[in-house]
Amino acid sequence: MKEKIADLEEKARRLRVAIVKTLHKSQSGHTGGSLSAIDMVCALYFHKMRHNPQEPTWDGRDRFVLSKGHAAPALYVTLAECGYFPSEDLMMLRRLGSHLQGHPDSKGTPGVDVCTGSLGQGLSMANGMALGLKLDGKDNRVYAVLGDGELQEGQVWEAAMAAAHYKSDNLCAFIDSNGLQIDGDVSKVMNVSSISDKFKAFGWNVIEIDGHDMGQIIAALDAAEAHKGAPTAIVAKTVKGKGVHLFENKASYHGVTPNDDELPEALKCLGCFD
Amino acid sequence: MIATRDAYGEVLAELGGENDKIVVLDADLSGSTKTAVFAKKFPNRFFNMGIAEANMVGTAAGLAAVGKIPFLSTFAIFAAGRGWEQIRQALAYPKANVKVVATHGGVTVGEDGGSHQSVEDVAIMRAIPNMTVIVPADGEETKGAIRAAAAYKGPVYVRLGRNKVPSVFPAGHKFEIGKGVVVVPGTDLTFITTGLMTAQAVIAAEKLKAEGISARVLHIGTVKPLDKELVEEAARETGAVITAEEHSVVGGLGGAVAEFLGEACPTLMKRVGVYDRFGTSGKSDELLKYFGLNAETLIEEAREIVSRKK
């Protein structure tokens, strides 16, 4: 297990490098939230989820919904690393004609099942998938990643209510709780705490973790799968911009990309010297 | 005489038996939208989502993403209104195979009043890329339209009504998405109509005949994509067009025909509908008269437009 965790940590480091390089190239996109979510996305794709990059629409796959669609770079670098599409495509992020749209688009990108980006909608879609898979008697699981600022959208709670009502225990949602949103601290813009208490009150199984601790992420995913009769919310305390001190805990890096001056330092932070 | 929503309930339950991919969602109005008929027959494929339309649309998108063919229903004001952005983002943008079947469209909702009378839904659905928008004239066409929507791969908005409406089409009428139907031939003007106004146009055409005015009735069941061929043909051959719908004249069928003919074949035109205002409480038939949504209005407008031709 120790080796597995070390492997995943190394994978996540490389994915962070790819996020920084991709966003430096595109000069448009969301740095902070991509870096806060990447450990969870990495654990899902390289450890937990059943999926087949050679057959993106394989019927037996688990499903993933990036509800905080602005963290698309985290998803794209992971899909590229898995082999869903060539890594060179990353350099076309947000360019005219690229399948890598600013926010995930199921029409063009292999491995993306739904369109997200307008906040608050992904949990509804994930629960719809969970309901459909259960209806077919399948044991596939559905995973979603939401932001903490995103929880301000009322639709999230409509979905939370419905998922508990229908006992969607094949659904597991990460809350990437980095505490920051565009206008500043989540607690100051519109306080959503206590996130755990809210999901518990809606009838969810709730697990609190450090969202950058690979061991805790994996243990929480296993516990979520073992829990029957209710969906699970993994409330993950994270750091916006995690891994690059220039960007860490800065709301100003929500939608700002690394510039030419910052790139060498950012890569150095991530142990990348090429 | 049958309400289009009743025809929907009937055909949806039939389809449920034919195709187990069909699932149905409702937002606490299944008795009124008639999805309860399906729910009774196939309880495990029916999801009551409570009074939460935004989540209902997103859930339907998720069900479609795993291969289901979701039909979701509520009143038009809530489906198209509350769910507009979700319909845009989660259904139309990814071309999700979801059918939004909205009942209680227009002013015939009646006593509930302006808050519940959707006169904008066709316009706001029509503005969304990838959307197909259907407004059946009667029960028979509704059955065909629902079957066509189920067979079509992609998002569809079908607008139905609350009240019983006269039959326009015979039993077994075949509905084709995007195809208009010339219900009455004519040469002096064309009524281009949708929904319950088609039956009124047939009555109007019959009465105008006695005055020596030959009115064509072109029924447009699919407001989007518009049957441009038949609309242009009607404009060229009759030289005058009157659109009619139980909807605002802004952006609905009248808007669609005006936009198209304005570019393709500028023609004398009049739009009959609700003139940029909200509905109000009253009995359905009183409201149709109040808003001028009847054969009498069409006859007056026909006389007027024919006189303008000369």
Side-chain angles (χ1 to χ4, degrees):
Chain A
M1 199 51 165
K2 261 187 180 168
E3 268 178 41
K4 177 83 208 172
I5 289 170
D7 277 356
L8 287 170
E9 284 169 349
E10 170 57 15
K11 216 39 148 187
R13 185 193 66 80
R14 291 180 48 186
L15 293 173
R16 281 195 164 85
V17 170
I19 287 171
V20 167
K21 285 184 173 172
T22 299
L23 286 169
H24 172 256
K25 177 77 179 171
S26 67
Q27 283 302 300
S28 172
H30 297 79
T31 306
S34 296
L35 291 170
S36 68
I38 192 62
D39 294 303
M40 295 170 273
V41 176
C42 175
L44 284 170
Y45 277 88
F46 292 101
H47 173 69
K48 192 66 185 174
M49 284 180 10
R50 285 176 289 183
H51 65 115
N52 181 0
Q54 270 63 57
E55 198 186 338
T57 57
W58 172 48
D59 206 33
R61 73 194 186 281
D62 291 334
R63 289 351 190 245
F64 178 72
V65 176
L66 184 66
S67 191
K68 49 171 288 185
H70 55 280
L75 177 60
Y76 295 160
V77 298
T78 304
L79 291 174
E81 181 74 13
C82 289
Y84 280 90
F85 50 81
S87 291
E88 299 83 75
D89 291 9
L90 295 171
M91 295 299 113
M92 292 295 286
L93 173 68
R94 289 182 168 235
R95 300 275 177 92
L96 184 63
S98 170
H99 71 86
L100 296 178
Q101 294 288 296
H103 295 81
D105 181 357
S106 56
K107 297 189 297 299
T109 304
V112 174
D113 284 326
V114 288
C115 292
T116 53
S118 175
L119 292 176
Q121 301 196 23
L123 193 57
S124 303
M125 298 176 200
N127 188 45
M129 292 171 157
L131 291 172
L133 291 166
K134 271 206 167 181
L135 199 54
D136 288 339
K138 291 179 179 165
D139 66 351
N140 302 82
R141 295 184 58 74
V142 183
Y143 296 96
V145 172
L146 286 75
D148 50 358
E150 183 181 7
L151 303 182
Q152 291 157 358
E153 287 282 3
Q155 189 183 341
V156 172
W157 304 104
E158 292 184 5
M161 185 162 45
H165 178 83
Y166 282 107
K167 299 183 169 54
S168 300
D169 52 13
N170 53 344
L171 170 65
C172 174
F174 278 105
I175 311 302
D176 178 8
S177 184
N178 61 35
L180 293 172
Q181 59 190 110
I182 297 176
D183 276 355
D185 294 359
V186 174
S187 62
K188 287 180 184 157
V189 174
M190 181 51 65
N191 195 5
V192 296
S193 76
S194 152
I195 295 170
S196 297
D197 288 348
K198 285 188 173 70
F199 275 98
K200 276 180 200 160
F202 275 91
W204 284 54
N205 176 43
V206 175
I207 303 170
E208 293 182 345
I209 63 164
D210 172 346
H212 302 304
D213 183 318
M214 210 45 98
Q216 289 188 35
I217 294 171
I218 288 173
L221 285 168
D222 290 343
E225 187 162 12
H227 190 88
K228 298 299 168 204
T232 294
I234 302 176
V235 180
K237 183 81 195 72
T238 57
V239 173
K240 196 152 186 160
K242 175 71 178 178
V244 180
H245 67 86
L246 295 169
F247 313 143
E248 283 185 359
N249 283 320
K250 287 181 185 161
S252 55
Y253 275 92
H254 173 88
V256 171
T257 54
N259 60 32
D260 289 346
D261 295 337
E262 293 162 336
L263 183 67
E265 176 66 14
L267 292 176
K268 208 173 102 186
C269 291
L270 297 168
C272 174
F273 301 97
D274 46 69
Chain B
M1 295 271 286
I2 175 178
T4 50
R5 61 177 168 139
D6 282 312
Y8 169 52
E10 194 183 308
V11 74
L12 188 62
E14 277 172 29
L15 277 167
E18 296 165 22
N19 187 344
D20 64 8
K21 284 185 179 169
I22 290 177
V23 296
V24 176
L25 303 92
D26 205 300
D28 193 39
L29 288 168
S30 62
S32 299
T33 64
K34 303 299 173 187
T35 60
V37 184
F38 180 98
K40 202 174 169 194
K41 240 173 129 180
F42 308 102
N44 66 326
R45 284 194 270 142
F46 175 79
F47 300 96
N48 200 324
M49 303 311 293
I51 310 163
E53 294 79 12
N55 178 54
M56 172 163 69
V57 174
T59 308
L63 283 158
V66 295
K68 302 297 175 193
I69 305 172
F71 277 72
L72 71 86
S73 287
T74 181
F75 291 0
I77 192 75
F78 308 127
R82 264 309 162 87
W84 187 85
E85 207 243 357
Q86 284 75 15
I87 289 172
R88 179 192 187 273
Q89 307 284 4
L91 306 188
Y93 184 45
K95 295 185 188 166
N97 196 19
V98 174
K99 322 303 164 184
V100 179
V101 183
T103 66
H104 297 67
V107 298
T108 47
V109 168
E111 293 84 344
D112 278 348
S115 62
H116 282 54
Q117 294 167 5
S118 177
V119 293
E120 316 92 334
D121 55 314
V122 173
I124 61 181
M125 286 295 117
R126 192 172 74 84
I128 305 174
N130 292 343
M131 279 302 285
T132 292
V133 180
I134 299 172
V135 188
D138 65 3
E140 210 49 44
E141 190 181 34
T142 299
K143 290 179 195 169
I146 296 299
R147 284 192 169 277
Y152 171 84
K153 203 167 160 51
V156 179
Y157 180 80
V158 185
R159 186 213 216 203
L160 304 177
R162 174 191 171 203
N163 292 354
K164 287 181 178 167
V165 289
S167 290
V168 173
F169 296 106
H173 169 69
K174 183 141 172 52
F175 178 87
E176 209 176 325
I177 291 174
K179 295 285 179 203
V181 181
V182 176
V183 182
V184 178
T187 52
D188 296 331
L189 78 147
T190 305
F191 292 121
I192 301 183
T193 57
T194 195
L196 57 73
M197 288 307 291
T198 297
Q200 297 303 307
V202 172
I203 295 169
E206 185 62 34
K207 290 190 175 162
L208 284 164
K209 200 186 285 178
E211 299 179 19
I213 296 175
S214 169
R216 181 180 303 186
V217 178
L218 169 57
H219 169 66
I220 295 292
T222 312
V223 177
K224 185 182 178 181
L226 186 68
D227 189 336
K228 293 178 176 172
E229 205 180 307
L230 282 187
V231 170
E232 187 171 347
E233 187 180 276
R236 288 194 191 285
E237 291 178 1
T238 68
V241 159
I242 297 172
T243 61
E245 62 201 304
E246 187 199 1
H247 184 273
S248 171
V249 293
V250 178
L253 174 69
V257 170
E259 286 162 16
F260 169 63
L261 288 181
E263 289 180 349
C265 177
T267 306
L268 266 184
M269 209 184 143
K270 172 74 188 181
R271 293 168 298 155
V272 171
V274 177
Y275 265 77
D276 199 18
R277 54 182 294 195
F278 291 111
T280 183
S281 282
K283 289 192 169 66
S284 300
D285 51 353
E286 289 172 348
L287 287 167
L288 288 173
K289 198 173 170 193
Y290 180 76
F291 285 105
L293 300 171
N294 52 24
E296 289 68 37
T297 304
L298 294 179
I299 290 166
E300 283 171 30
E301 295 295 350
R303 287 176 187 143
E304 160 76 14
I305 209 164
V306 167
S307 74
R308 279 164 65 199
K309 272 175 81 177
K310 285 155 192 169

